[in-house]
Amino acid sequence: MSKADLFGIKIESADDIVVALAGNPNTGKSTVFNSLTGLNQHTGNWPGKTVATAQGKFAYRSKNFILVDLPGTYSLFANSIEEEIARDFICFGKPHVTVVVADATCLERNLNLLLQIMEITNRVVLCVNLLDEAKRKKIRIDLQKLADFLGIPVVGTSARNKTGLEQLKYVVEQVASKKIRPTPFIINYSQKLEKAVQSITHHIQNLVGNEINNKWAALRLIEGDKLLLSSMKDFLGLDLLQNDQLQKELFAARSLIETVNTFEDLSYEITAAIVWAAEKISQNVVTIEDNSYNQLDRKIDDILTSKVFGIPIMIALLGLVFWITIQGANLPSNLLANGFFWFESRLTHLFSQLGTPIWIHDILVLGIYRTLAWVISVMLPPMAIFFPLFTLLEDLGYLPRVAFNLDHYFKKACAHGKQALTMCMGFGCNAAGVISCRIIDSPRERLIAIITNNFVPCNGRFPTLIAIAGIVGIGAAGAYHSFTAALSVLTAIVLGVIITLLVSKILSNTVLKGLPSSFILELPPYRKPQVGKIIVRSIFDRTLFVLGRAVAIAAPAGLLIWCMANFSINNVSLLTHCAQFLDPFAKFIGLDGYIMMAFILGLPANEIVIPILIMSYMAKGSMLELETLTEMRQLFIENGWTWLTGICMMLFSLNHWPCGTTLWTIRRETQSWKWTWISFLVPTITGIVICFITAWTVRLLKLI
Amino acid sequence: MSSCLNSLNQMPIGSLGIVKALTAKGFIYRRMLDLGLIYGTKVEALRRNSAGDLTAYQIRGAVIAFRLEEAEKVLVEQII
């Protein structure tokens, strides 16, 4: 009987077969998962953890299978939360079958994890994936021989071409229904260690019964694995630390071993035995016909991680992605906006026919509906273009190379090299950027990356930056003008990156003290991307996910914005009252009260900051846009703008609180209000300080 | 064949070494073992990043990059 429900896995009926999917990172495990479950999946977090989980369903031979995607790990020694989760699920969640996905082009390393899992459970199936890649590289694997060595069923697959998946389902069903009973190959340790293990196995058996593999548990306890003890307490209700006799026997068992190996360390002996076994098996089953099989990867690396071209190529690629996003989003954004406004007029018509009071119409249509329509039409197209492009780079295997090129700068800032990737993601959307910080495995560096993600301007802030840059630079005519705008945006990005590094450094020296932790980066082989899947996955996993959160925040915000603009005291709207209240402070840092209010009311999405500002200046009751930049410039100048106001507004747009969606995501990812508040305050204070310095430098130097 | 041990970061790009000892501790030590970096493992230095503080190595069929601080903690005997 599976106990997967302990881990938040939803099981519909007692007959459901629970299948765990384990594997190293970069083995195509998620492709196997997606190919088996299609869109029948559900993502979330492991209970009480910030690690993502995915479960999916598939039916085979009229049986219902629940597939649980475990975090990708190199081992199960519980070095990280991911490993702890994977191990606990296999050990205490008791899946009916555990499928280990291995990369055929790197089988030896992948066997380590498999051998560790085979120590925990008998019901294991090995899925040797990426056979097509292996074939292309002329790496041949004798699957039958491999199965004989391991004593478990082995299935070869190329999940992205859907080959081998039927066979995999068949074998999984056979193992689940006990028609195939795997007899995993057992690792032999040194005589002394085996004897020590044996001396306590019996006692563990008495205490735990057959709930878990007793030899494996004995090995872990001798090794001094405290996390396993606490997991046993959590899942089996057994506190073995309190068991004096076991503690005595453990002590006796450890004295049997003394020090036996090169690194004088038991963990070493255990791991080495596994690594050697993997090496031996792989030597017997893998034939590399062409020793230069990875020449192509190396040649691509020569270019993409070149000391000279690496960084320029990266900038060019990112620039291209932004350009395609901004250019491509224009038309669909306009179409969507037109569609939404057409529907708005229909709504208005409907309301007037029904005879609803005008204020209800205004709140619902001009307040909530218009804000929602605005957020969707400006956010959806750029995200629907940016995320697939970004996922494409991810799928190709390019992103780890970016981390490789840029690690130096992040190391200097006491941060993690992979923060570069989370920043790239942040250009698309800071909320998605914050989620992507999951790839950083050390908690300190991950928090730094989350808190500073907002310093890279997202898609939503580009339009503001471009518009204001256009207004400031409008004095110059023609081509020169668009050049100024582009230059300003580029400056904003560079500034964002510099501020990120500086703030990371400051955080490392204050609230998140610590040396840069270990950084080990795998550079996986380049792979042919699966374009169709990229589009589907990036739309579902990223675009709609972020949009959903944005909509949930925009609706109440729309109501608030409308109320602020339409309720008045002494004939002056609440919005103006607030703006007047904020005005002295805002002027002090180079802005004005209305700009400050626009940023505050723009919390649901940065895209609506300018529409709110225009609404406020024109003293209208709902958000609107102007046809041309010249009109906008005229309006702003009438309201006391100078070029300094423009610059300060751009700076404040770059450095202020994260939008509501991002804050919500930060709360979810850190599971902490404290870090959410810090993520709010850090960029806000930075923005105020930078605007203050800029404004007063200009004023004191009498440049204005 | 030289018998003196170098640390991994001293290996020139393109050279091949055999792991003789790890001096890393804790998490990083465990992680190195998980990558199969045990006594006798062959390691090839593949490439360095532009700042020179991150180096990619070929280890048991995978390409893994270590920072200077980590590479220092792997002692190898250079064979080529």
Side-chain angles (χ1 to χ4, degrees):
Chain A
M1 181 64 200
S2 165
K3 291 187 177 161
D5 48 332
L6 289 177
F7 294 81
I9 302 299
K10 287 179 197 74
I11 296 168
E12 285 157 17
S13 108
D15 300 329
D16 285 356
I17 294 166
V18 178
V19 181
L21 201 60
N24 281 187
N26 305 311
T27 52
K29 187 164 69 75
S30 48
T31 317
V32 173
F33 180 78
N34 291 330
S35 310
L36 286 174
T37 59
L39 292 176
N40 269 323
Q41 43 179 268
H42 168 85
T43 52
N45 277 26
W46 291 94
K49 302 272 181 3
T50 54
V51 178
T53 163
Q55 79 166 86
K57 283 190 301 192
F58 66 90
Y60 181 74
R61 299 209 169 165
S62 68
K63 280 183 192 157
N64 209 10
F65 291 79
I66 293 179
L67 194 58
V68 181
D69 193 15
L70 299 178
T73 59
Y74 291 114
S75 89
L76 287 186
F77 290 124
N79 300 309
S80 64
I81 305 172
E82 284 79 7
E83 289 175 24
E84 192 188 331
I85 289 170
R87 182 180 80 177
D88 281 351
F89 187 77
I90 296 172
C91 183
F92 302 106
K94 292 178 162 286
H96 296 95
V97 185
T98 300
V99 174
V100 180
V101 182
D103 176 354
T105 62
C106 184
L107 187 67
E108 182 183 331
R109 221 266 314 281
N110 285 251
L111 286 179
N112 289 349
L113 178 70
L114 173 75
L115 293 172
Q116 290 176 34
I117 291 175
M118 280 167 32
E119 287 193 309
I120 304 179
T121 169
N122 283 346
R123 297 155 101 181
V124 190
V125 172
L126 174 63
C127 163
V128 180
N129 192 31
L130 297 167
L131 273 186
D132 49 341
E133 286 285 323
K135 197 174 166 192
R136 195 172 59 78
K137 294 183 168 176
K138 299 208 170 101
I139 299 173
R140 222 155 24 89
I141 298 172
D142 188 335
L143 297 176
Q144 185 53 51
K145 210 163 156 190
L146 182 58
D148 293 343
F149 264 108
L150 296 168
I152 61 166
V154 174
V155 181
T157 59
S158 320
R160 58 178 166 201
N161 308 328
K162 302 223 176 233
T163 42
L165 292 174
E166 278 306 303
Q167 174 70 8
L168 181 63
K169 285 187 208 168
Y170 170 76
V171 170
V172 166
E173 195 272 333
Q174 294 284 303
V175 173
S177 59
K178 300 191 177 161
K179 284 176 201 134
I180 297 180
R181 289 172 185 269
T183 47
F185 152 85
I186 304 292
I187 304 268
N188 278 315
Y189 298 99
S190 69
Q191 241 177 353
K192 281 180 181 173
L193 180 55
E194 288 284 347
K195 220 162 127 193
V197 166
Q198 217 166 16
S199 75
I200 61 163
T201 308
H202 185 64
H203 192 83
I204 293 179
Q205 166 106 38
N206 285 343
L207 287 169
V208 187
N210 286 326
E211 283 293 314
I212 60 175
N213 185 317
N214 295 310
K215 184 189 170 188
W216 173 76
L219 202 56
R220 294 280 84 78
L221 294 184
I222 291 178
E223 201 190 342
D225 188 334
K226 293 199 179 65
L227 277 171
L228 181 64
L229 284 174
S230 76
S231 294
M232 282 169 113
K233 200 170 155 190
D234 290 350
F235 297 109
L236 303 176
L238 282 173
D239 194 352
L240 296 186
L241 267 178
Q242 302 300 322
N243 189 312
D244 291 336
Q245 208 204 329
L246 180 73
Q247 293 302 322
K248 251 185 241 160
E249 283 186 26
L250 261 176
F251 186 75
R254 284 199 192 115
S255 65
L256 281 177
I257 320 167
E258 297 156 54
T259 48
V260 284
N261 51 60
T262 340
F263 298 133
E264 304 186 333
D265 170 6
L266 194 57
S267 307
Y268 177 81
E269 188 196 327
I270 295 173
T271 318
I274 294 172
V275 172
W276 279 322
E279 185 181 307
K280 203 187 102 204
I281 296 172
S282 135
Q283 274 167 3
N284 274 289
V285 302
V286 181
T287 328
I288 296 174
E289 288 172 5
D290 175 10
N291 264 321
S292 61
Y293 68 91
N294 48 21
Q295 275 315 305
L296 182 64
D297 282 340
R298 300 243 178 118
K299 274 190 190 133
I300 300 175
D301 269 340
D302 282 342
I303 301 166
L304 294 182
T305 65
S306 139
K307 290 183 184 182
V308 184
F309 302 114
I311 293 178
I313 289 177
M314 180 199 82
I315 294 172
L317 270 174
L318 269 183
L320 184 70
V321 167
F322 294 141
W323 185 79
I324 296 176
T325 306
I326 293 168
Q327 286 297 316
N330 260 336
L331 182 68
S333 266
N334 286 336
L335 286 177
L336 269 176
N338 290 340
F340 278 125
F341 286 112
W342 172 82
F343 191 68
E344 184 186 302
S345 65
R346 303 310 309 154
L347 276 178
T348 303
H349 186 67
L350 184 73
F351 273 77
S352 69
Q353 272 189 335
L354 291 174
T356 11
I358 192 90
W359 63 273
I360 292 191
H361 161 265
D362 285 1
I363 285 183
L364 290 180
V365 178
L366 297 182
I368 297 176
Y369 176 83
R370 190 176 281 191
T371 310
L372 272 180
W374 212 297
V375 168
I376 295 174
S377 58
V378 290
M379 267 178 99
L380 181 60
M383 286 202 301
I385 298 172
F386 178 83
F387 286 142
L389 287 175
F390 192 80
T391 315
L392 179 77
L393 292 180
E394 213 173 3
D395 228 42
L396 279 165
Y398 178 62
L399 297 187
R401 273 77 188 178
V402 173
F404 184 82
N405 288 338
L406 295 180
D407 179 57
H408 174 70
Y409 305 99
F410 290 91
K411 192 173 122 189
K412 282 241 159 129
C414 302
H416 201 284
K418 287 186 189 162
Q419 190 174 334
L421 310 186
T422 65
M423 286 167 70
C424 294
M425 192 60 156
F427 283 120
C429 166
N430 293 121
V434 167
I435 295 174
S436 72
C437 293
R438 287 175 175 175
I439 57 170
I440 298 175
D441 46 20
S442 75
R444 192 188 73 90
E445 280 88 343
R446 184 162 163 237
L447 275 172
I448 292 179
I450 289 177
I451 296 169
T452 56
N453 193 272
N454 195 51
F455 289 117
V456 294
C458 63
N459 265 330
R461 284 183 275 170
F462 276 135
T464 309
L465 292 172
I466 293 171
I468 307 290
I471 290 175
V472 174
I474 216 159
Y480 186 63
H481 152 239
S482 69
F483 177 75
T484 329
L487 197 68
S488 319
V489 173
L490 195 66
T491 315
I493 292 175
V494 172
L495 198 62
V497 174
I498 293 173
I499 294 172
T500 302
L501 291 170
L502 278 176
V503 173
S504 299
K505 178 89 183 170
I506 294 170
L507 286 172
S508 309
N509 287 317
T510 53
V511 283
L512 285 162
K513 266 204 175 71
L515 292 167
S517 77
S518 63
F519 177 67
I520 292 179
L521 177 73
E522 179 163 9
L523 301 174
Y526 292 99
R527 302 223 166 99
K528 211 173 77 192
Q530 310 150 264
V531 178
K533 285 208 186 94
I534 285 175
I535 294 172
V536 174
R537 292 254 63 83
S538 54
I539 300 253
F540 276 90
D541 290 354
R542 287 178 174 151
T543 313
L544 292 184
F545 179 77
V546 172
L547 195 70
R549 286 188 179 176
V551 163
I553 290 178
L559 181 66
L560 180 70
I561 294 168
W562 188 87
C563 293
M564 296 283 292
N566 290 278
F567 290 159
S568 31
I569 304 171
N570 300 335
N571 268 338
V572 178
S573 72
L574 281 178
L575 197 151
T576 306
H577 275 295
C578 290
Q580 279 166 355
F581 172 74
L582 289 172
D583 204 52
F585 172 71
K587 286 252 166 69
F588 186 66
I589 59 169
L591 303 169
D592 72 28
Y594 283 111
I595 301 177
M596 202 53 122
M597 272 316 286
F599 276 114
I600 292 172
L601 292 175
L603 184 79
N606 282 292
E607 286 90 340
I608 60 173
V609 168
I610 287 195
I612 294 176
L613 187 59
I614 295 174
M615 167 184 93
S616 325
Y617 281 153
M618 297 182 73
K620 287 278 163 58
S622 51
M623 295 197 302
L624 64 162
E625 232 169 24
L626 293 174
E627 287 298 318
T628 66
L629 271 187
T630 328
E631 255 180 280
M632 197 154 112
R633 181 170 186 261
Q634 198 51 43
L635 176 72
F636 286 3
I637 288 175
E638 280 164 18
N639 281 278
W641 274 50
T642 61
W643 59 267
L644 179 63
T645 323
I647 301 268
C648 283
M649 171 142 183
M650 285 172 73
L651 287 172
F652 203 70
S653 173
L654 189 64
N655 308 289
H656 70 290
W657 48 86
C659 72
T661 315
T662 307
L663 284 171
W664 180 2
T665 309
I666 293 173
R667 169 72 186 87
R668 288 289 300 264
E669 292 297 304
T670 58
Q671 305 273 322
S672 140
W673 283 111
K674 179 188 155 198
W675 293 115
T676 313
W677 273 105
I678 291 181
S679 307
F680 177 89
L681 290 173
V682 165
T684 306
I685 294 171
T686 312
I688 291 173
V689 169
I690 291 180
C691 285
F692 169 81
I693 293 174
T694 312
W696 284 93
T697 310
V698 171
R699 285 170 191 163
L700 291 176
L701 292 177
K702 299 209 182 334
L703 296 173
I704 199 155
Chain B
M1 196 190 283
S2 118
S3 64
C4 87
L5 295 187
N6 279 331
S7 60
L8 204 51
N9 60 307
Q10 290 167 326
M11 281 197 349
I13 297 303
S15 65
L16 198 68
I18 289 182
V19 177
K20 292 291 170 181
L22 301 181
T23 60
K25 293 275 174 294
F27 171 78
I28 189 76
Y29 173 56
R30 283 255 46 140
R31 183 61 85 231
M32 285 177 172
L33 293 184
D34 291 342
L35 294 169
L37 217 52
I38 59 170
Y39 184 88
T41 304
K42 261 194 245 167
V43 178
E44 184 188 348
L46 290 182
R47 65 184 68 255
R48 231 164 234 141
N49 72 353
S50 51
D53 52 3
L54 191 67
T55 312
Y57 301 93
Q58 170 104 5
I59 302 167
R60 296 188 183 270
V63 180
I64 312 283
F66 287 119
R67 278 181 179 170
L68 215 61
E69 290 75 2
E70 277 78 44
E72 247 169 30
K73 292 175 179 142
V74 182
L75 302 182
V76 291
E77 184 186 321
Q78 196 180 316
I79 52 173
I80 300 174

